[in-house]
Amino acid sequence: MHKLEGPELTAALAQLSAWTFDPQRHAIRRALRFADFNAAFGFMTRVALEAERRNHHPEWSNVYHRVDITLTTHDAGGLTERDVALARWIDAAASAAGAEPT
């Protein structure tokens, strides 16, 4: 995996309009709000299972109905296609779970 930079990075970020790029960490972030804690935790469980299957794990936190997610590939020193692919999967799972942006 190589770190996305230049036109590759621009193209990847264009696909992820719900995510915010953090240039300092070369990572993407997204905050989601769910109906309640159970919905948030259920979403996190689904993401955890998929992340484990992909051997690529998010940095995240959960407070009641809110889930904050950061994706970056530490081994590559920043955002890679692995992060972009997992972000797209997360977007679909969040939509299916009825999540709203914060």
Side-chain angles (χ1 to χ4, degrees), residues 25 56-59 70-80 83:
R25 295 203 49 219
H56 190 57
H57 307 96
E59 298 174 23
T70 300
L71 297 176
T72 190
T73 302
H74 300 280
D75 293 344
L79 195 69
T80 68
D83 302 300

Side-chain angles (χ1 to χ4, degrees), residues 21-89:
F21 182 64
D22 177 350
Q24 191 169 33
R25 295 203 49 219
H26 209 274
I28 52 176
R29 296 175 185 219
R30 183 161 187 205
L32 297 162
R33 187 177 62 239
F34 295 85
D36 55 25
F37 177 76
N38 285 335
F41 197 83
F43 166 78
M44 290 179 74
T45 300
R46 287 187 294 283
V47 172
L49 292 170
E50 181 63 18
E52 183 65 18
R53 188 185 72 74
R54 294 171 183 244
N55 193 30
H56 190 57
H57 307 96
E59 298 174 23
W60 57 10
S61 66
N62 164 241
V63 177
Y64 182 53
H65 64 291
R66 182 182 167 120
V67 177
D68 295 306
I69 306 167
T70 300
L71 297 176
T72 190
T73 302
H74 300 280
D75 293 344
L79 195 69
T80 68
E81 184 55 42
R82 291 177 78 186
D83 302 300
V84 174
L86 185 56
R88 284 193 297 253
W89 191 94

Side-chain angles (χ1 to χ4, degrees), residues 2-17:
H2 72 278
K3 181 176 163 180
L4 299 175
E5 297 187 274
E8 278 187 314
L9 177 61
T10 301
L13 295 176
Q15 298 175 39
L16 303 171
S17 61

